[in-house]
Amino acid sequence: MEFDPVAGAVTVSGDGLPRVELRRTGGEPDAHTPVGTRAGDRLTLTVDGEPAVLTVAKGRITRRSYRVDAVLGGVRHRLVPDSLTGSRLLRDGRRLGTLQCDGDGRVDADWHEDAKVLPLDVSLGYALAAAFGTGAQPMWVTAMEMGAELLN
């Protein structure tokens, strides 16, 4: 995997894996997203040169608001936080495993033993985790922090 946060690019390829490229296509990078933006109109995603549809939620208060969807050939992959550090990867709603990446481009995967993980799942999962990071605080922690800031 190649990860370049300055250029806003992630490339995943390897033996038996389809080549997945996710790129930021303009504008100034934000400091909170490893690839530099959560604006879907500033991102492109290709799999073996074919464009895929990428939908990136805004990333606000709830964990679900940090979800990222990639659709290729009618198959939907979703990466959504499920703990402070991890995000689950789903293919058409079925859980494949949990990925962890703290924004440095290194991704750890724990694939479920009963899941039939395909090479495309691996490539897309690693690319999405590297580009957007994984994990998020629960809503109640975020709400408490916001409340504490209002009191100060």
Side-chain angles (χ1 to χ4, degrees), residues 4-57:
D4 184 346
V6 175
V10 177
T11 302
V12 177
S13 62
D15 290 338
L17 294 177
R19 183 179 183 86
V20 172
E21 295 181 83
L22 195 153
R23 299 192 177 281
R24 186 181 71 239
T25 59
E28 290 298 315
D30 69 48
H32 307 290
T33 310
V35 77
T37 187
R38 293 188 70 83
D41 63 341
R42 294 180 48 212
L43 295 164
T44 62
L45 176 66
T46 60
V47 178
D48 283 338
E50 296 294 319
V53 176
L54 183 66
T55 306
V56 184

mmCIF file of all heavy atoms in Angstrom, residues 4-57:
data_model
loop_
_atom_site.group_PDB
_atom_site.id
_atom_site.type_symbol
_atom_site.label_atom_id
_atom_site.label_comp_id
_atom_site.label_asym_id
_atom_site.label_seq_id
_atom_site.Cartn_x
_atom_site.Cartn_y
_atom_site.Cartn_z
ATOM 1 N N ASP A 4 0.003 8.740 0.713
ATOM 2 C CA ASP A 4 0.630 10.057 0.634
ATOM 3 C C ASP A 4 -0.389 11.103 1.089
ATOM 4 O O ASP A 4 -1.185 11.594 0.289
ATOM 5 C CB ASP A 4 1.083 10.344 -0.793
ATOM 6 C CG ASP A 4 1.841 11.659 -0.920
ATOM 7 O OD1 ASP A 4 1.799 12.489 0.020
ATOM 8 O OD2 ASP A 4 2.479 11.855 -1.963
ATOM 9 N N PRO A 5 -0.392 11.447 2.387
ATOM 10 C CA PRO A 5 -1.383 12.396 2.892
ATOM 11 C C PRO A 5 -1.226 13.806 2.322
ATOM 12 O O PRO A 5 -2.201 14.540 2.205
ATOM 13 C CB PRO A 5 -1.178 12.375 4.406
ATOM 14 C CG PRO A 5 0.207 11.877 4.603
ATOM 15 C CD PRO A 5 0.509 10.983 3.442
ATOM 16 N N VAL A 6 -0.011 14.195 1.952
ATOM 17 C CA VAL A 6 0.208 15.518 1.379
ATOM 18 C C VAL A 6 -0.483 15.627 0.024
ATOM 19 O O VAL A 6 -1.183 16.596 -0.271
ATOM 20 C CB VAL A 6 1.718 15.836 1.276
ATOM 21 C CG1 VAL A 6 1.938 17.156 0.565
ATOM 22 C CG2 VAL A 6 2.357 15.856 2.663
ATOM 23 N N ALA A 7 -0.294 14.615 -0.807
ATOM 24 C CA ALA A 7 -0.938 14.598 -2.128
ATOM 25 C C ALA A 7 -2.390 14.160 -2.036
ATOM 26 O O ALA A 7 -3.161 14.345 -2.977
ATOM 27 C CB ALA A 7 -0.186 13.670 -3.066
ATOM 28 N N GLY A 8 -2.778 13.551 -0.897
ATOM 29 C CA GLY A 8 -4.137 13.053 -0.747
ATOM 30 C C GLY A 8 -4.377 11.827 -1.600
ATOM 31 O O GLY A 8 -5.352 11.764 -2.345
ATOM 32 N N ALA A 9 -3.489 10.837 -1.489
ATOM 33 C CA ALA A 9 -3.591 9.656 -2.343
ATOM 34 C C ALA A 9 -3.315 8.381 -1.558
ATOM 35 O O ALA A 9 -2.399 8.329 -0.737
ATOM 36 C CB ALA A 9 -2.606 9.769 -3.501
ATOM 37 N N VAL A 10 -4.125 7.373 -1.860
ATOM 38 C CA VAL A 10 -3.939 6.032 -1.314
ATOM 39 C C VAL A 10 -4.017 5.064 -2.487
ATOM 40 O O VAL A 10 -4.944 5.142 -3.296
ATOM 41 C CB VAL A 10 -5.038 5.664 -0.293
ATOM 42 C CG1 VAL A 10 -4.861 4.234 0.194
ATOM 43 C CG2 VAL A 10 -5.070 6.631 0.866
ATOM 44 N N THR A 11 -3.050 4.163 -2.581
ATOM 45 C CA THR A 11 -3.073 3.124 -3.602
ATOM 46 C C THR A 11 -2.831 1.786 -2.929
ATOM 47 O O THR A 11 -1.861 1.623 -2.182
ATOM 48 C CB THR A 11 -1.987 3.358 -4.668
ATOM 49 O OG1 THR A 11 -2.178 4.649 -5.259
ATOM 50 C CG2 THR A 11 -2.055 2.294 -5.756
ATOM 51 N N VAL A 12 -3.716 0.840 -3.194
ATOM 52 C CA VAL A 12 -3.577 -0.515 -2.680
ATOM 53 C C VAL A 12 -3.470 -1.443 -3.880
ATOM 54 O O VAL A 12 -4.299 -1.391 -4.791
ATOM 55 C CB VAL A 12 -4.780 -0.931 -1.806
ATOM 56 C CG1 VAL A 12 -4.635 -2.369 -1.339
ATOM 57 C CG2 VAL A 12 -4.941 0.017 -0.619
ATOM 58 N N SER A 13 -2.432 -2.275 -3.888
ATOM 59 C CA SER A 13 -2.257 -3.270 -4.941
ATOM 60 C C SER A 13 -1.365 -4.370 -4.396
ATOM 61 O O SER A 13 -0.740 -4.216 -3.359
ATOM 62 C CB SER A 13 -1.654 -2.638 -6.193
ATOM 63 O OG SER A 13 -0.367 -2.121 -5.914
ATOM 64 N N GLY A 14 -1.312 -5.463 -5.107
ATOM 65 C CA GLY A 14 -0.459 -6.564 -4.675
ATOM 66 C C GLY A 14 -0.864 -7.836 -5.375
ATOM 67 O O GLY A 14 -1.817 -7.858 -6.163
ATOM 68 N N ASP A 15 -0.156 -8.898 -5.075
ATOM 69 C CA ASP A 15 -0.438 -10.193 -5.693
ATOM 70 C C ASP A 15 -1.880 -10.603 -5.441
ATOM 71 O O ASP A 15 -2.308 -10.736 -4.298
ATOM 72 C CB ASP A 15 0.500 -11.266 -5.141
ATOM 73 C CG ASP A 15 1.924 -11.090 -5.610
ATOM 74 O OD1 ASP A 15 2.125 -10.428 -6.644
ATOM 75 O OD2 ASP A 15 2.835 -11.613 -4.946
ATOM 76 N N GLY A 16 -2.627 -10.762 -6.519
ATOM 77 C CA GLY A 16 -4.006 -11.211 -6.414
ATOM 78 C C GLY A 16 -5.003 -10.166 -5.977
ATOM 79 O O GLY A 16 -6.191 -10.454 -5.871
ATOM 80 N N LEU A 17 -4.543 -8.942 -5.704
ATOM 81 C CA LEU A 17 -5.444 -7.869 -5.262
ATOM 82 C C LEU A 17 -5.717 -6.913 -6.412
ATOM 83 O O LEU A 17 -4.795 -6.531 -7.133
ATOM 84 C CB LEU A 17 -4.832 -7.070 -4.109
ATOM 85 C CG LEU A 17 -4.623 -7.792 -2.792
ATOM 86 C CD1 LEU A 17 -3.947 -6.860 -1.789
ATOM 87 C CD2 LEU A 17 -5.947 -8.304 -2.238
ATOM 88 N N PRO A 18 -6.977 -6.492 -6.567
ATOM 89 C CA PRO A 18 -7.244 -5.446 -7.555
ATOM 90 C C PRO A 18 -6.610 -4.132 -7.094
ATOM 91 O O PRO A 18 -6.497 -3.868 -5.896
ATOM 92 C CB PRO A 18 -8.763 -5.349 -7.589
ATOM 93 C CG PRO A 18 -9.244 -5.986 -6.342
ATOM 94 C CD PRO A 18 -8.186 -6.928 -5.877
ATOM 95 N N ARG A 19 -6.190 -3.334 -8.048
ATOM 96 C CA ARG A 19 -5.580 -2.030 -7.738
ATOM 97 C C ARG A 19 -6.686 -1.029 -7.412
ATOM 98 O O ARG A 19 -7.561 -0.763 -8.229
ATOM 99 C CB ARG A 19 -4.756 -1.540 -8.920
ATOM 100 C CG ARG A 19 -4.041 -0.233 -8.660
ATOM 101 C CD ARG A 19 -3.229 0.177 -9.892
ATOM 102 N NE ARG A 19 -2.482 1.370 -9.645
ATOM 103 C CZ ARG A 19 -1.264 1.421 -9.093
ATOM 104 N NH1 ARG A 19 -0.670 0.292 -8.749
ATOM 105 N NH2 ARG A 19 -0.642 2.562 -8.902
ATOM 106 N N VAL A 20 -6.641 -0.484 -6.215
ATOM 107 C CA VAL A 20 -7.603 0.524 -5.770
ATOM 108 C C VAL A 20 -6.843 1.816 -5.547
ATOM 109 O O VAL A 20 -5.832 1.841 -4.846
ATOM 110 C CB VAL A 20 -8.324 0.085 -4.475
ATOM 111 C CG1 VAL A 20 -9.174 1.215 -3.918
ATOM 112 C CG2 VAL A 20 -9.186 -1.148 -4.728
ATOM 113 N N GLU A 21 -7.344 2.895 -6.177
ATOM 114 C CA GLU A 21 -6.743 4.215 -6.001
ATOM 115 C C GLU A 21 -7.809 5.193 -5.523
ATOM 116 O O GLU A 21 -8.869 5.303 -6.128
ATOM 117 C CB GLU A 21 -6.151 4.719 -7.315
ATOM 118 C CG GLU A 21 -4.986 3.884 -7.796
ATOM 119 C CD GLU A 21 -4.401 4.415 -9.080
ATOM 120 O OE1 GLU A 21 -3.579 5.344 -9.009
ATOM 121 O OE2 GLU A 21 -4.800 3.898 -10.145
ATOM 122 N N LEU A 22 -7.520 5.871 -4.430
ATOM 123 C CA LEU A 22 -8.401 6.907 -3.892
ATOM 124 C C LEU A 22 -7.586 8.184 -3.836
ATOM 125 O O LEU A 22 -6.491 8.185 -3.272
ATOM 126 C CB LEU A 22 -8.904 6.501 -2.509
ATOM 127 C CG LEU A 22 -10.091 7.281 -1.981
ATOM 128 C CD1 LEU A 22 -10.877 6.418 -1.020
ATOM 129 C CD2 LEU A 22 -9.702 8.564 -1.317
ATOM 130 N N ARG A 23 -8.109 9.249 -4.459
ATOM 131 C CA ARG A 23 -7.341 10.504 -4.560
ATOM 132 C C ARG A 23 -8.194 11.726 -4.241
ATOM 133 O O ARG A 23 -9.341 11.807 -4.655
ATOM 134 C CB ARG A 23 -6.777 10.671 -5.965
ATOM 135 C CG ARG A 23 -5.830 9.583 -6.367
ATOM 136 C CD ARG A 23 -5.075 9.922 -7.629
ATOM 137 N NE ARG A 23 -4.133 8.876 -7.929
ATOM 138 C CZ ARG A 23 -2.957 8.718 -7.348
ATOM 139 N NH1 ARG A 23 -2.565 9.563 -6.445
ATOM 140 N NH2 ARG A 23 -2.167 7.724 -7.687
ATOM 141 N N ARG A 24 -7.551 12.676 -3.551
ATOM 142 C CA ARG A 24 -8.141 14.001 -3.365
ATOM 143 C C ARG A 24 -7.838 14.785 -4.635
ATOM 144 O O ARG A 24 -6.720 14.765 -5.133
ATOM 145 C CB ARG A 24 -7.511 14.681 -2.144
ATOM 146 C CG ARG A 24 -8.170 16.001 -1.777
ATOM 147 C CD ARG A 24 -7.508 16.660 -0.578
ATOM 148 N NE ARG A 24 -6.187 17.162 -0.924
ATOM 149 C CZ ARG A 24 -5.052 16.789 -0.337
ATOM 150 N NH1 ARG A 24 -5.047 15.901 0.623
ATOM 151 N NH2 ARG A 24 -3.901 17.298 -0.725
ATOM 152 N N THR A 25 -8.828 15.481 -5.170
ATOM 153 C CA THR A 25 -8.659 16.119 -6.486
ATOM 154 C C THR A 25 -8.583 17.633 -6.445
ATOM 155 O O THR A 25 -8.730 18.263 -7.467
ATOM 156 C CB THR A 25 -9.805 15.706 -7.426
ATOM 157 O OG1 THR A 25 -11.045 16.096 -6.825
ATOM 158 C CG2 THR A 25 -9.792 14.217 -7.691
ATOM 159 N N GLY A 26 -8.361 18.218 -5.321
ATOM 160 C CA GLY A 26 -8.202 19.666 -5.311
ATOM 161 C C GLY A 26 -8.533 20.270 -3.969
ATOM 162 O O GLY A 26 -9.012 19.605 -3.058
ATOM 163 N N GLY A 27 -8.259 21.540 -3.879
ATOM 164 C CA GLY A 27 -8.545 22.278 -2.660
ATOM 165 C C GLY A 27 -7.517 22.017 -1.580
ATOM 166 O O GLY A 27 -6.679 21.130 -1.678
ATOM 167 N N GLU A 28 -7.600 22.798 -0.541
ATOM 168 C CA GLU A 28 -6.693 22.659 0.589
ATOM 169 C C GLU A 28 -7.131 21.487 1.463
ATOM 170 O O GLU A 28 -8.321 21.297 1.702
ATOM 171 C CB GLU A 28 -6.691 23.947 1.428
ATOM 172 C CG GLU A 28 -6.036 25.115 0.742
ATOM 173 C CD GLU A 28 -4.567 24.859 0.453
ATOM 174 O OE1 GLU A 28 -3.854 24.364 1.342
ATOM 175 O OE2 GLU A 28 -4.143 25.140 -0.683
ATOM 176 N N PRO A 29 -6.181 20.701 1.949
ATOM 177 C CA PRO A 29 -6.538 19.569 2.806
ATOM 178 C C PRO A 29 -6.985 20.028 4.186
ATOM 179 O O PRO A 29 -6.523 21.055 4.682
ATOM 180 C CB PRO A 29 -5.241 18.773 2.890
ATOM 181 C CG PRO A 29 -4.164 19.754 2.617
ATOM 182 C CD PRO A 29 -4.755 20.779 1.688
ATOM 183 N N ASP A 30 -7.901 19.259 4.774
ATOM 184 C CA ASP A 30 -8.248 19.529 6.171
ATOM 185 C C ASP A 30 -7.302 18.725 7.055
ATOM 186 O O ASP A 30 -6.679 17.764 6.609
ATOM 187 C CB ASP A 30 -9.723 19.221 6.464
ATOM 188 C CG ASP A 30 -10.062 17.739 6.424
ATOM 189 O OD1 ASP A 30 -9.325 16.936 7.033
ATOM 190 O OD2 ASP A 30 -11.075 17.381 5.811
ATOM 191 N N ALA A 31 -7.189 19.118 8.293
ATOM 192 C CA ALA A 31 -6.237 18.478 9.198
ATOM 193 C C ALA A 31 -6.818 17.260 9.906
ATOM 194 O O ALA A 31 -6.095 16.552 10.593
ATOM 195 C CB ALA A 31 -5.767 19.491 10.236
ATOM 196 N N HIS A 32 -8.115 16.999 9.726
ATOM 197 C CA HIS A 32 -8.779 15.952 10.490
ATOM 198 C C HIS A 32 -8.960 14.642 9.732
ATOM 199 O O HIS A 32 -9.314 13.636 10.330
ATOM 200 C CB HIS A 32 -10.139 16.442 10.979
ATOM 201 C CG HIS A 32 -10.060 17.728 11.720
ATOM 202 N ND1 HIS A 32 -9.486 17.823 12.963
ATOM 203 C CD2 HIS A 32 -10.452 18.969 11.385
ATOM 204 C CE1 HIS A 32 -9.544 19.085 13.360
ATOM 205 N NE2 HIS A 32 -10.109 19.795 12.423
ATOM 206 N N THR A 33 -8.743 14.652 8.434
ATOM 207 C CA THR A 33 -8.954 13.467 7.605
ATOM 208 C C THR A 33 -7.630 13.081 6.952
ATOM 209 O O THR A 33 -7.002 13.924 6.311
ATOM 210 C CB THR A 33 -10.000 13.768 6.502
ATOM 211 O OG1 THR A 33 -11.151 14.350 7.103
ATOM 212 C CG2 THR A 33 -10.402 12.503 5.770
ATOM 213 N N PRO A 34 -7.190 11.829 7.115
ATOM 214 C CA PRO A 34 -5.884 11.450 6.552
ATOM 215 C C PRO A 34 -5.707 11.780 5.070
ATOM 216 O O PRO A 34 -4.656 12.265 4.672
ATOM 217 C CB PRO A 34 -5.829 9.935 6.802
ATOM 218 C CG PRO A 34 -6.642 9.747 8.046
ATOM 219 C CD PRO A 34 -7.774 10.746 7.911
ATOM 220 N N VAL A 35 -6.741 11.573 4.253
ATOM 221 C CA VAL A 35 -6.625 11.878 2.824
ATOM 222 C C VAL A 35 -6.823 13.376 2.557
ATOM 223 O O VAL A 35 -6.576 13.856 1.464
ATOM 224 C CB VAL A 35 -7.592 11.012 1.989
ATOM 225 C CG1 VAL A 35 -9.024 11.522 2.074
ATOM 226 C CG2 VAL A 35 -7.131 10.890 0.552
ATOM 227 N N GLY A 36 -7.257 14.115 3.568
ATOM 228 C CA GLY A 36 -7.342 15.570 3.455
ATOM 229 C C GLY A 36 -8.717 16.152 3.229
ATOM 230 O O GLY A 36 -8.871 17.370 3.214
ATOM 231 N N THR A 37 -9.758 15.321 3.063
ATOM 232 C CA THR A 37 -11.113 15.851 2.903
ATOM 233 C C THR A 37 -12.140 14.737 3.070
ATOM 234 O O THR A 37 -11.837 13.566 2.838
ATOM 235 C CB THR A 37 -11.314 16.518 1.525
ATOM 236 O OG1 THR A 37 -12.584 17.157 1.498
ATOM 237 C CG2 THR A 37 -11.225 15.518 0.388
ATOM 238 N N ARG A 38 -13.332 15.136 3.481
ATOM 239 C CA ARG A 38 -14.490 14.250 3.493
ATOM 240 C C ARG A 38 -15.505 14.730 2.447
ATOM 241 O O ARG A 38 -16.623 14.230 2.395
ATOM 242 C CB ARG A 38 -15.140 14.206 4.874
ATOM 243 C CG ARG A 38 -14.261 13.538 5.931
ATOM 244 C CD ARG A 38 -14.993 13.335 7.239
ATOM 245 N NE ARG A 38 -16.015 12.306 7.129
ATOM 246 C CZ ARG A 38 -15.802 11.002 7.237
ATOM 247 N NH1 ARG A 38 -14.585 10.549 7.466
ATOM 248 N NH2 ARG A 38 -16.784 10.142 7.116
ATOM 249 N N ALA A 39 -15.111 15.681 1.624
ATOM 250 C CA ALA A 39 -15.988 16.202 0.572
ATOM 251 C C ALA A 39 -15.947 15.255 -0.621
ATOM 252 O O ALA A 39 -14.934 15.168 -1.325
ATOM 253 C CB ALA A 39 -15.563 17.603 0.167
ATOM 254 N N GLY A 40 -17.044 14.546 -0.851
ATOM 255 C CA GLY A 40 -17.098 13.558 -1.910
ATOM 256 C C GLY A 40 -16.807 14.098 -3.301
ATOM 257 O O GLY A 40 -16.254 13.388 -4.141
ATOM 258 N N ASP A 41 -17.147 15.368 -3.534
ATOM 259 C CA ASP A 41 -16.897 15.948 -4.859
ATOM 260 C C ASP A 41 -15.416 16.269 -5.087
ATOM 261 O O ASP A 41 -15.031 16.649 -6.182
ATOM 262 C CB ASP A 41 -17.766 17.184 -5.071
ATOM 263 C CG ASP A 41 -17.476 18.309 -4.092
ATOM 264 O OD1 ASP A 41 -16.873 18.062 -3.023
ATOM 265 O OD2 ASP A 41 -17.874 19.448 -4.386
ATOM 266 N N ARG A 42 -14.597 16.103 -4.064
ATOM 267 C CA ARG A 42 -13.158 16.334 -4.192
ATOM 268 C C ARG A 42 -12.365 15.039 -4.120
ATOM 269 O O ARG A 42 -11.160 15.052 -3.904
ATOM 270 C CB ARG A 42 -12.689 17.286 -3.084
ATOM 271 C CG ARG A 42 -13.266 18.688 -3.235
ATOM 272 C CD ARG A 42 -12.799 19.628 -2.146
ATOM 273 N NE ARG A 42 -11.366 19.576 -1.955
ATOM 274 C CZ ARG A 42 -10.777 19.778 -0.773
ATOM 275 N NH1 ARG A 42 -11.486 20.040 0.300
ATOM 276 N NH2 ARG A 42 -9.470 19.701 -0.670
ATOM 277 N N LEU A 43 -13.059 13.909 -4.318
ATOM 278 C CA LEU A 43 -12.417 12.608 -4.224
ATOM 279 C C LEU A 43 -12.766 11.741 -5.429
ATOM 280 O O LEU A 43 -13.887 11.828 -5.949
ATOM 281 C CB LEU A 43 -12.873 11.880 -2.954
ATOM 282 C CG LEU A 43 -12.471 12.521 -1.628
ATOM 283 C CD1 LEU A 43 -13.298 11.948 -0.489
ATOM 284 C CD2 LEU A 43 -10.987 12.318 -1.373
ATOM 285 N N THR A 44 -11.810 10.937 -5.866
ATOM 286 C CA THR A 44 -12.081 9.940 -6.898
ATOM 287 C C THR A 44 -11.649 8.583 -6.368
ATOM 288 O O THR A 44 -10.684 8.470 -5.606
ATOM 289 C CB THR A 44 -11.333 10.223 -8.213
ATOM 290 O OG1 THR A 44 -9.930 10.183 -7.972
ATOM 291 C CG2 THR A 44 -11.728 11.567 -8.796
ATOM 292 N N LEU A 45 -12.370 7.545 -6.807
ATOM 293 C CA LEU A 45 -12.061 6.181 -6.420
ATOM 294 C C LEU A 45 -12.129 5.316 -7.665
ATOM 295 O O LEU A 45 -13.127 5.351 -8.398
ATOM 296 C CB LEU A 45 -13.064 5.673 -5.383
ATOM 297 C CG LEU A 45 -12.919 4.220 -4.938
ATOM 298 C CD1 LEU A 45 -11.605 4.003 -4.179
ATOM 299 C CD2 LEU A 45 -14.108 3.834 -4.058
ATOM 300 N N THR A 46 -11.051 4.574 -7.935
ATOM 301 C CA THR A 46 -11.052 3.639 -9.065
ATOM 302 C C THR A 46 -10.586 2.269 -8.586
ATOM 303 O O THR A 46 -9.789 2.157 -7.654
ATOM 304 C CB THR A 46 -10.138 4.104 -10.217
ATOM 305 O OG1 THR A 46 -8.800 4.223 -9.733
ATOM 306 C CG2 THR A 46 -10.605 5.426 -10.803
ATOM 307 N N VAL A 47 -11.116 1.238 -9.256
ATOM 308 C CA VAL A 47 -10.719 -0.140 -9.001
ATOM 309 C C VAL A 47 -10.287 -0.720 -10.340
ATOM 310 O O VAL A 47 -11.100 -0.807 -11.268
ATOM 311 C CB VAL A 47 -11.874 -0.958 -8.392
ATOM 312 C CG1 VAL A 47 -11.449 -2.402 -8.188
ATOM 313 C CG2 VAL A 47 -12.344 -0.337 -7.075
ATOM 314 N N ASP A 48 -9.019 -1.065 -10.440
ATOM 315 C CA ASP A 48 -8.441 -1.528 -11.707
ATOM 316 C C ASP A 48 -8.796 -0.585 -12.855
ATOM 317 O O ASP A 48 -9.133 -1.004 -13.957
ATOM 318 C CB ASP A 48 -8.878 -2.958 -12.027
ATOM 319 C CG ASP A 48 -8.120 -3.987 -11.203
ATOM 320 O OD1 ASP A 48 -7.011 -3.674 -10.719
ATOM 321 O OD2 ASP A 48 -8.638 -5.112 -11.051
ATOM 322 N N GLY A 49 -8.743 0.712 -12.577
ATOM 323 C CA GLY A 49 -8.992 1.739 -13.587
ATOM 324 C C GLY A 49 -10.446 2.090 -13.814
ATOM 325 O O GLY A 49 -10.751 3.067 -14.483
ATOM 326 N N GLU A 50 -11.370 1.321 -13.241
ATOM 327 C CA GLU A 50 -12.805 1.587 -13.396
ATOM 328 C C GLU A 50 -13.285 2.481 -12.267
ATOM 329 O O GLU A 50 -12.994 2.217 -11.096
ATOM 330 C CB GLU A 50 -13.600 0.278 -13.378
ATOM 331 C CG GLU A 50 -13.299 -0.647 -14.524
ATOM 332 C CD GLU A 50 -13.735 -0.054 -15.858
ATOM 333 O OE1 GLU A 50 -14.818 0.540 -15.925
ATOM 334 O OE2 GLU A 50 -12.963 -0.179 -16.833
ATOM 335 N N PRO A 51 -14.055 3.538 -12.585
ATOM 336 C CA PRO A 51 -14.544 4.416 -11.524
ATOM 337 C C PRO A 51 -15.565 3.711 -10.635
ATOM 338 O O PRO A 51 -16.382 2.923 -11.111
ATOM 339 C CB PRO A 51 -15.193 5.580 -12.274
ATOM 340 C CG PRO A 51 -15.413 5.097 -13.660
ATOM 341 C CD PRO A 51 -14.462 3.978 -13.915
ATOM 342 N N ALA A 52 -15.488 3.981 -9.357
ATOM 343 C CA ALA A 52 -16.446 3.494 -8.374
ATOM 344 C C ALA A 52 -17.138 4.706 -7.767
ATOM 345 O O ALA A 52 -16.591 5.809 -7.756
ATOM 346 C CB ALA A 52 -15.742 2.678 -7.292
ATOM 347 N N VAL A 53 -18.328 4.505 -7.255
ATOM 348 C CA VAL A 53 -19.078 5.575 -6.602
ATOM 349 C C VAL A 53 -18.658 5.621 -5.137
ATOM 350 O O VAL A 53 -18.713 4.604 -4.438
ATOM 351 C CB VAL A 53 -20.602 5.343 -6.719
ATOM 352 C CG1 VAL A 53 -21.360 6.410 -5.950
ATOM 353 C CG2 VAL A 53 -21.016 5.317 -8.182
ATOM 354 N N LEU A 54 -18.246 6.793 -4.696
ATOM 355 C CA LEU A 54 -17.798 6.989 -3.322
ATOM 356 C C LEU A 54 -18.728 7.981 -2.647
ATOM 357 O O LEU A 54 -18.936 9.085 -3.155
ATOM 358 C CB LEU A 54 -16.358 7.519 -3.308
ATOM 359 C CG LEU A 54 -15.703 7.704 -1.955
ATOM 360 C CD1 LEU A 54 -15.495 6.357 -1.270
ATOM 361 C CD2 LEU A 54 -14.362 8.416 -2.120
ATOM 362 N N THR A 55 -19.295 7.577 -1.504
ATOM 363 C CA THR A 55 -20.160 8.456 -0.721
ATOM 364 C C THR A 55 -19.573 8.560 0.676
ATOM 365 O O THR A 55 -19.430 7.552 1.366
ATOM 366 C CB THR A 55 -21.596 7.912 -0.652
ATOM 367 O OG1 THR A 55 -22.069 7.687 -1.984
ATOM 368 C CG2 THR A 55 -22.517 8.895 0.053
ATOM 369 N N VAL A 56 -19.240 9.782 1.073
ATOM 370 C CA VAL A 56 -18.588 10.019 2.360
ATOM 371 C C VAL A 56 -19.520 10.869 3.221
ATOM 372 O O VAL A 56 -19.867 11.984 2.844
ATOM 373 C CB VAL A 56 -17.241 10.747 2.158
ATOM 374 C CG1 VAL A 56 -16.521 10.916 3.485
ATOM 375 C CG2 VAL A 56 -16.367 10.008 1.156
ATOM 376 N N ALA A 57 -19.918 10.339 4.380
ATOM 377 C CA ALA A 57 -20.762 11.109 5.299
ATOM 378 C C ALA A 57 -19.923 12.224 5.928
ATOM 379 O O ALA A 57 -18.692 12.183 5.928
ATOM 380 C CB ALA A 57 -21.351 10.192 6.359
#
